[in-house]
Amino acid sequence: MRNMDNRLRNADKITMDVIAKNLEVSKTTVSRAISGKGRVGRETRDKVLRYIESLGYKPNSMARALAGSKTFNIGVVIPDTGDRGDSPFFKDCLIGVTAASARRDYDTVLAVVSEGNYGNLERLVNGRRVDGIILTRQDKSGKMLSYLRRQDMPFVLIGSDSDSGVYQIDSDQKDGCCELTAKMLRQSPKGVALLAGPKDMGVERLRYEGYAQAFELAGLKVNESFVFWNSESRLDGALDKILKAGIKCAACSDDLICLKVMERLKQKGVSVPDRLQVVSFFDSEELENNDVPVTSLHVDTKFLSQKAGDLLIDILDGKNPDVCNYAKCSVLYRSSFRSNAG
């Protein structure tokens, strides 16, 4: 047998010919050993299977890969968020996709990208190391989606995009935020302030639309001077303005903003919820365990991510699921209220 140090480990380079050449057997022998069909000696079959396993494959996955020129890998793309604190969300995305993939005999490969630098994603796609991609967040420029389309790489977005042709899985951000805002408006006659993130993020726009819709349904108009975009960088001024105006409720667009708001209010000696009630359009374990009760919208990130993985594998298996019916009817769920206030 030839020196095995030059064995090819990339699924897109492994062929019957390569295996047969390295083991000095015929391609027919390799095929019979993998499939278990046809005559082949036990010793030869064991040699072929041991070689396949040394490449990191199980015989059944190798057989599928050779037959369909597939890697049976799914790429999961997460952003490099630095120290913002939303890594638990992306961890749950990875857990959910990995669970769905493992259940259907796929593996996951992680790619971390930053805004404007998608080199890790490009290496996966250009090298055909994966069969499809899960995007855990839409980039602001939309370049990742455009790139994946040009490369004809199947992908699913966890989140929402205005393009109805994009396979996407998300909770019903708009309706959930509308319902929670409406609940707060009934308790706060002077209105509900909004402490939001960057205006150019799709999820922030959706949450604002739900917030604004609640005002409209109540026959009210949003006072835009109490909508604070990029609020993390100006919390003190925003909270001072809210308190001075006598507003009794502040909605935070996510859990990270909410936690910082609660910390600032504690420093200022402001009683929550007596003087100011604080709610969040997204929950987390940190909010659930917060000393002061916070009502928040619950989104099961792991569940949504599993559905994203299932959707992508359905696409890869040639099932061609309908975008609207699959996403909106099967896996688009309204967020539920959760409050440790009871």
Side-chain angles (χ1 to χ4, degrees):
M1 189 178 353
R2 292 183 174 85
N3 190 328
M4 305 296 279
D5 290 340
N6 63 350
R7 290 176 296 195
L8 301 175
R9 295 180 180 270
N10 291 334
D12 57 331
K13 296 181 180 178
I14 297 171
T15 65
M16 292 280 192
D17 288 329
V18 169
I19 296 173
K21 183 178 180 181
N22 284 340
L23 296 179
E24 295 182 331
V25 297
S26 71
K27 190 164 69 171
T28 301
T29 297
V30 174
S31 176
R32 288 176 176 175
I34 293 173
S35 66
K37 299 177 182 178
R39 290 187 177 182
V40 61
R42 175 176 294 181
E43 183 178 342
T44 301
R45 183 174 188 273
D46 288 345
K47 180 173 69 172
V48 172
L49 296 183
R50 281 197 304 271
Y51 176 65
I52 289 172
E53 289 176 354
S54 75
L55 299 176
Y57 289 89
K58 292 181 180 179
N60 63 336
S61 63
M62 172 60 77
R64 291 189 302 164
L66 291 171
S69 298
K70 294 174 71 174
T71 68
F72 289 89
N73 291 330
I74 288 176
V76 182
V77 180
I78 67 172
D80 182 359
T81 57
D83 60 354
R84 186 172 183 269
D86 48 3
S87 57
F89 170 81
F90 297 110
K91 180 195 74 174
D92 286 346
C93 287
L94 184 58
I95 291 172
V97 174
T98 300
S101 302
R103 189 172 62 247
R104 298 176 67 174
D105 292 329
Y106 278 75
D107 293 311
T108 52
V109 181
L110 179 64
V112 180
V113 301
S114 56
E115 189 69 33
N117 182 2
Y118 313 125
N120 290 333
L121 170 62
E122 291 172 344
R123 275 189 289 275
L124 287 184
V125 174
N126 294 343
R128 291 293 159 177
R129 299 175 185 175
V130 295
D131 300 323
I133 293 288
I134 299 287
L135 295 175
T136 59
R137 175 176 288 177
Q138 165 72 291
D139 57 326
K140 297 176 183 179
S141 65
K143 288 182 179 179
M144 281 198 295
L145 267 64
S146 299
Y147 166 73
L148 292 172
R149 282 173 158 165
R150 289 197 307 272
Q151 296 296 318
D152 197 26
M153 174 62 67
F155 68 91
V156 170
L157 171 67
I158 298 176
S160 298
D161 187 83
S162 57
D163 187 342
S164 60
V166 172
Y167 286 95
Q168 50 195 288
I169 300 295
D170 199 2
S171 61
D172 200 333
Q173 302 278 352
K174 184 175 178 179
D175 280 1
C177 294
C178 175
E179 189 173 346
L180 181 51
T181 303
K183 176 182 174 71
M184 295 303 103
L185 279 173
R186 290 193 290 270
Q187 301 174 16
S188 181
K190 290 193 176 182
V192 177
L194 177 62
L195 296 153
K199 195 174 185 177
D200 57 358
M201 287 184 63
V203 67
E204 295 289 340
R205 292 195 300 271
L206 278 174
R207 290 170 181 169
Y208 170 78
E209 288 173 9
Y211 165 85
Q213 185 178 51
F215 279 79
E216 182 180 350
L217 292 174
L220 303 171
K221 187 176 181 180
V222 173
N223 185 342
E224 296 292 343
S225 65
F226 288 100
V227 176
F228 303 93
W229 296 102
N230 296 301
S231 59
E232 287 181 85
S233 62
R234 52 184 184 133
L235 278 184
D236 286 322
L239 291 173
D240 287 344
K241 184 175 181 179
I242 292 169
L243 294 168
K244 186 176 180 180
I247 291 176
K248 295 297 183 181
C249 180
C252 303
S253 65
D254 65 35
D255 56 322
L256 301 175
I257 294 174
C258 187
L259 286 167
K260 291 181 179 179
V261 165
M262 298 294 284
E263 181 182 359
R264 287 289 205 285
L265 291 174
K266 183 177 181 180
Q267 292 170 354
K268 291 174 178 291
V270 176
S271 176
V272 178
D274 296 332
R275 187 174 176 191
L276 182 67
Q277 185 172 9
V278 180
V279 300
S280 176
F281 289 160
F282 191 86
D283 71 347
S284 66
E285 186 177 343
E286 289 78 6
L287 274 185
E288 185 179 1
N289 296 325
N290 194 64
D291 293 337
V292 179
V294 175
T295 298
S296 58
L297 293 177
H298 175 57
V299 179
D300 192 336
T301 305
K302 291 179 183 177
F303 176 78
L304 290 178
S305 302
Q306 286 187 45
K307 289 299 181 182
D310 284 331
L311 174 56
L312 179 59
I313 295 172
D314 282 348
I315 296 167
L316 298 177
D317 287 349
K319 295 183 180 179
N320 296 319
D322 180 78
V323 179
C324 294
N325 287 339
Y326 194 102
K328 293 184 179 179
C329 297
S330 298
V331 295
L332 196 57
Y333 294 95
R334 173 169 296 182
S335 304
S336 59
F337 296 125
R338 181 171 71 185
S339 172
N340 47 15

